[in-house]
Each structure stands twice: as C-alpha cells, then as structure tokens.
C-alpha cells in the first residue's frame, strides 16, 4: 500500500503551491493516472480521505482522470489501445511497441480559494 | 521545488501551458493553478541527486525487486562467492523489520547497511540517501539495493539506481509477469530463481514466463539460475560485467544509465539535469 505515500507527496506539493498563491483553502486537485503507473485509483481515493485531514486540503476533492494505455508499433507504426498485460500491436501482433500513454502519475492542476 | 528549472514540463503536457498561462479563473471564481508535476516529485528529485552521487563515485546501483522470499538475499550471497573479489560490491538491504539480511551479507565479508522501513512496503529515494551516509561508495564497483519483498509498491519509486532486476522464483507460478505487469515491465533483467526445484514443479514453464514478459513489450534478457546449486550463475555474473562496462562507457561519454522504465518524474529530471547542469537548487551532494 504505497498510495498513502503518494497522497503525502501530493499534499506537500499542494501546500507549496497554495502558499505561493496565498490561498487559504484548496478545493480541487486534478490528477492524471495511467494503469501502468502502479497507483491503484480506488486505493488512492481511500488513502486520500485519511491523508487530507488537518491540512489546507482537508476539504479538497480529488478529481482523477484515468488515462488509457496507448502504444505505437515498432514494425507497422499502428497506434492502438492495449491492456496492461497485453501491450502488443492491435494490427500486426508485434510485441515491440512503444508506450505513448498509460503510465501517467501527474498532478495536473489545483483549484484554490483565497 | 523546481518551478524555475522546468523539469515538470514534458512533450506530453507542454500544450497545457500554452493554452492560457499558469493561472486561470474557473466559473466558480476559484483560481486554478496548473502544476504538471509527477505525483512523487520530491522522491524523483532526491533520486536524481542519488544518481549524481553514484555517478560521482562511479558505482553501478542495481535495484533488486521480487515477492518476499524469492531468493534476493540468497542470490547476493551466491554472487559474492562467485565473484570471489573480482568486483567490489556493497549491499543496502530493505526490510520491514530485522537486521537479518544485512547480517547474512556481512558474513560474506561485504559491507551492508540495513534499512528498516517499519510499515513502508517499499524503499524510497530518501531512505536510500540516508543509507548512503552509512556506506562508503568510493571502494565499490556495484551497489546492490535489495528492495522490500513486494511485487507492487517498489516499482513506483525511483531510488536513483541504474538498473532494475525483477526476480521470479519457480515456486511462484509462471504467470506472475501478467499479474504484476508494472514491476515486470520495469525490469532490465528477469531472473528465474530456484531452478533447482524445477523437476518438482512441472507446471512452471520458463518459456511461458518469458512469453508473458514480452507481452509487456519488455525485451529484457531472462536468466535462469539457482543460488543453491550454482546453475546459471556464470551468465548472471557475465551480465553484471557487461552492465558495468556499459555504465562506465556511459560515464565516460558524460551520461549515465537509467532503469528500463523510469517513473515519469525521473525522466523529466533526467532531461533537465542532463540538459543544463546548473539549474538552481542547492541540494547538491557535498559529502
Ligand atoms: N531450493 C532453493 N531454495 C532457495 C534458493 N534461493 C533461495 N532459496 C530459499 O528461499 C528462501 C528465501 O530466500 P531469501 O534469499 O531469504 O529470499 P529473499 O527474497 O531475500 O526474502 P525477503 O528478503 O524476505 O523478501 C530461503 O529459505 C532460501 O534458502 C534456490 O536457488 N534454491
Ligand atoms: Mg532478503
Ligand atoms: Zn504492428
Ligand atoms: Zn530539478
């Protein structure tokens, strides 16, 4: 369960941004998470309700944009969707593919109130 | 933080910045601030400083990951014996509790430092940095970091190491790469361990384990070995020699090595720290 560590890391970044902008409250935190990031969204949401207590973000909602896995084939160039454990080309079946999206673990934006 | 060094901007997200600057007003009148940083920004930052530190001392740092009991410490013991002093190694051990694994390594005459993580199910870059204060890097060629036995969490935390190894013991089943894709995708090398037990485990098919690894689009080499009877140790030692020489070539060329799949933040830092050396944070290693 490393999702609590992830929440603590988010909180410390959020607090820095809030201070820089002289905000008193953080109302929304927007994340992008891909299935290959190793972060489980339901676990993260659970951990968040614990981690946010007694912080500037104690009321903040976590808005999570779940990113799809998208790959590009090294042989035929086709861009296709893939599953976590089946990252092979949707067109020709080649396994040497390049990940375009799906491992995101990004703090995209924050909404603040002053 | 690195707001000024630009290490949070990647080709994947730079367009957000161009869409209207850093600050924007939402309908409700709140202020929205674009951040665009990895969720583990501080860890990634520490990791890149750890890597600088390894590179300064020319020590190849290798992260060993597996389920509990897959044979990480036994592999290290057998490796130390097989190397017979050819390469100088040190070990950082991560466990929830006990000094047992570090003691096992010290008994082989190699320096070892134990990190007791308490409740944390993975090592992070800060823990490794603290451990480095207890290990002299100058005399080493390779530093092994034995991560906490766990097939999930360790994969998300960059430690500043150069290579990832994921171990899979034959008693665990050959479909583990399909079940734990994140950690097997991150492997530069997959080691099938305890192969002396294969005669008793007909259902484990090494070729199938490799097939599942390829389905993660991972080209990593696969070596089968047994720490118990010594099978496969020679190709494994050869892999170490060859990675060490790659690493030294990279350093000579003014670059370094990164693990197979570096978390997004680490890639950003790699870009940044290699791009312009003097960005302004003063957290540089002074020891
Ligand atoms: N038969 C056989 N047993 C092995 C081999 N390698 C390790 N073992 C046994 O597997 C058990 C666990 O080995 P360790 O080396 O402690 O495993 P580990 O991955 O370091 O364990 P944690 O640090 O607790 O996660 C021990 O009882 C070892 O004797 C092997 O090659 N063959
Ligand atoms: Mg061990
Ligand atoms: Zn194709
Ligand atoms: Zn930086």
């Amino acid at each position: 369960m490393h999702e609590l560590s992830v929440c603590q890391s988010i909180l410390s970044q959020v607090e820095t941004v809030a201070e820089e902008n002289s905000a008193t409250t953080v109302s929304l935190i927007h994340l992008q998470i891909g299935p290959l990031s190793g972060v489980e969204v339901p676990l993260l949401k659970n951990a968040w309700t614990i981690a946010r207590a007694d912080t500037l973000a104690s009321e903040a909602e976590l808005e999570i944009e779940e990113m799809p896995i998208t790959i590009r084939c090294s042989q035929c160039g086709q861009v296709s969707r893939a599953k976590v454990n089946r990252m092979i080309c949707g067109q020709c079946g080649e396994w040497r593919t390049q990940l375009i999206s799906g491992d995101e673990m990004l703090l995209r934006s924050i909404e603040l109130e002053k | 933080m690195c707001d000024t060094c630009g290490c949070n901007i990647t080709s994947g997200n730079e367009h957000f910045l161009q869409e209207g600057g850093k600050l924007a007003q939402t309908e409700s009148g709140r202020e929205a601030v674009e951040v665009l940083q990895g969720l583990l920004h501080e860890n990634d930052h520490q990791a890149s400083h750890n890597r600088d530190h390894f590179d300064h001392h020319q020590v190849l740092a290798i992260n060993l990951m597996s389920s509990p009991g897959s044979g990480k410490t036994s592999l290290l013991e057998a490796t130390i014996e097989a190397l017979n002093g050819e390469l100088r190694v040190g070990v950082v051990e991560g466990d929830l509790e006990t000094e047992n694994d570090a003691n096992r390594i010290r008994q082989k005459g190699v320096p070892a430092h134990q990190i007791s993580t308490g409740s944390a199910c993975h090592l992070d870059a800060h823990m490794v940095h603290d451990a480095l204060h207890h290990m002299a890097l100058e005399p080493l060629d390779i530093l092994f970091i034995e991560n906490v036995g766990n097939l999930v969490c360790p994969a998300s935390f960059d430690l500043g190491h150069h290579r990832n190894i994921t171990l899979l013991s034959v008693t665990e089943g050959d479909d583990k790469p399909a079940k734990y894709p994140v950690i097997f995708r991150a492997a530069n090398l997959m080691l099938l361990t305890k192969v002396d037990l294969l005669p008793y485990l007909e259902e484990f098919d090494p070729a199938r384990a490799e097939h599942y690894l390829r389905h993660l689009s991972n080209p990593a080499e696969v070596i089968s070995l047994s720490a118990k009877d010594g099978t496969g140790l020679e190709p494994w030692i050869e892999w170490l020699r060859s990675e060490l020489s790659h690493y030294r070539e990279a350093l000579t060329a003014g670059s370094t090595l990164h693990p197979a799949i570096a978390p997004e933040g680490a890639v950003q830092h790699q870009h940044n720290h290699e791009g312009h050396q003097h960005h302004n944070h003063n957290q540089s290693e002074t020891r």
Side-chain angles (χ1 to χ4, degrees):
Chain A
M1 235 304 263
H2 57 296
E3 280 75 8
L4 202 54
S5 315
V6 174
C7 284
Q8 278 151 1
S9 177
I10 295 171
L11 275 168
S12 98
Q13 292 177 67
V14 163
E15 284 180 342
T16 308
V17 174
E19 273 168 35
E20 283 169 0
N21 290 277
S22 325
T24 50
T25 317
V26 178
S27 40
L28 185 94
I29 299 173
H30 183 138
L31 310 180
Q32 283 182 337
I33 295 186
L36 289 169
S37 65
V39 175
E40 288 295 327
V41 170
L43 294 181
L44 188 69
K45 285 182 171 162
N46 257 334
W48 178 247
T49 59
I50 301 163
R52 69 178 177 179
D54 299 324
T55 69
L56 270 179
S58 60
E59 306 280 294
E61 193 191 323
L62 210 54
E63 185 182 87
I64 301 180
E65 190 180 342
E66 296 191 47
M67 309 298 285
I69 299 180
T70 313
I71 54 173
R72 181 184 291 113
C73 178
S74 66
Q75 295 305 304
C76 74
Q78 176 76 19
V79 171
S80 47
R81 288 284 170 90
K83 294 202 323 191
V84 275
N85 53 13
R86 216 178 139 74
M87 296 181 41
I88 60 179
C89 174
Q91 178 137 308
C92 73
E94 172 61 42
W95 63 265
R96 290 174 194 82
T97 59
Q98 185 204 345
L99 189 72
I100 298 173
S101 155
D103 64 348
E104 292 83 359
M105 236 215 246
L106 198 70
L107 174 56
R108 211 195 120 166
S109 63
I110 304 173
E111 285 185 26
L112 303 167
E113 286 169 47
K114 294 197 176 173
Chain B
M1 297 291 249
C2 288
D3 315 293
T4 47
C5 79
C7 59
N8 48 356
I9 298 163
T10 65
S11 55
N13 65 30
E14 62 190 357
H15 60 281
F16 295 135
L17 283 184
Q18 286 146 16
E19 271 165 17
K22 200 170 156 76
L23 294 175
Q25 215 63 15
T26 64
E27 292 122 54
S28 53
R30 295 170 184 157
E31 199 165 82
V33 181
E34 294 287 0
V35 184
L36 301 174
Q37 265 174 189
L39 294 190
L40 294 171
H41 182 73
E42 285 171 17
N43 183 76
D44 297 339
H45 218 162
Q46 178 66 61
S48 81
H49 290 294
N50 290 354
R51 190 171 290 111
D52 289 346
H53 199 52
F54 293 132
D55 293 351
H56 179 70
H57 295 288
Q58 311 199 5
V59 176
L60 176 68
I62 298 181
N63 179 29
L64 296 175
M65 302 183 288
S66 80
S67 326
S70 298
K72 298 178 293 298
T73 310
S74 304
L75 171 70
L76 291 174
E77 291 170 311
T79 304
I80 292 162
E81 283 191 8
L83 281 171
N84 194 20
E86 175 191 333
L87 300 173
R88 299 161 305 167
V89 305
V91 178
V92 171
E93 287 286 348
D95 282 291
L96 298 180
E97 295 294 344
T98 82
E99 283 271 321
N100 295 354
D101 284 3
N103 284 333
R104 283 167 63 185
I105 298 299
R106 285 186 203 114
Q107 274 168 18
K108 298 281 168 192
V110 154
H113 179 75
Q114 181 78 47
I115 302 175
S116 298
T117 60
S119 60
C121 44
H122 57 271
L123 293 178
D124 67 30
H126 297 280
M127 296 180 206
V128 169
H129 187 255
D130 290 345
L132 296 184
H133 286 275
H134 301 274
M135 294 276 303
L137 289 182
E138 298 78 24
L140 301 183
D141 297 308
I142 300 180
L143 180 72
F144 289 104
I145 304 169
E146 179 182 330
N147 218 310
V148 180
N150 179 336
L151 272 183
V152 180
C153 309
S156 296
F157 294 82
D158 187 14
L159 308 176
H161 56 286
H162 304 102
R163 286 292 179 246
N164 277 328
I165 297 179
T166 307
L167 286 73
L168 170 58
S169 66
V170 299
T171 54
E172 294 170 68
D174 53 27
D175 60 351
K176 280 291 175 294
K179 289 182 176 169
Y180 296 90
V182 177
I183 208 156
F184 283 94
R185 202 172 82 86
N188 292 97
L189 172 68
M190 178 166 83
L191 288 178
L192 300 181
T193 61
K194 309 190 189 181
V195 293
D196 58 288
L197 298 176
L198 270 181
Y200 311 99
L201 294 159
E202 286 160 25
E203 60 281 13
F204 190 99
D205 179 358
R208 200 155 50 216
E210 182 166 344
H211 173 82
Y212 284 124
L213 182 70
R214 300 299 171 237
H215 273 197
L216 309 177
S217 192
N218 187 342
E221 192 177 332
V222 180
I223 297 176
S224 298
L225 56 77
S226 163
K228 195 163 192 176
D229 69 13
T231 309
L233 283 183
E234 191 41 46
W236 152 243
I237 299 288
E238 195 44 49
W239 186 88
L240 288 175
R241 289 188 192 109
S242 127
E243 290 305 309
L244 188 61
S245 77
H246 280 152
Y247 175 56
R248 288 177 174 158
E249 282 164 24
L251 290 181
T252 309
S255 149
T256 182
L257 299 182
H258 286 82
I261 305 297
E264 201 170 359
V267 175
Q268 294 161 22
H269 268 95
Q270 160 195 354
H271 172 74
N272 172 254
H273 287 251
E274 282 167 9
H276 44 102
Q277 295 291 323
H278 298 288
H279 77 297
N280 57 344
H281 39 88
N282 300 317
Q283 208 195 337
S284 60
E285 302 295 324
T286 46
R287 295 188 300 116

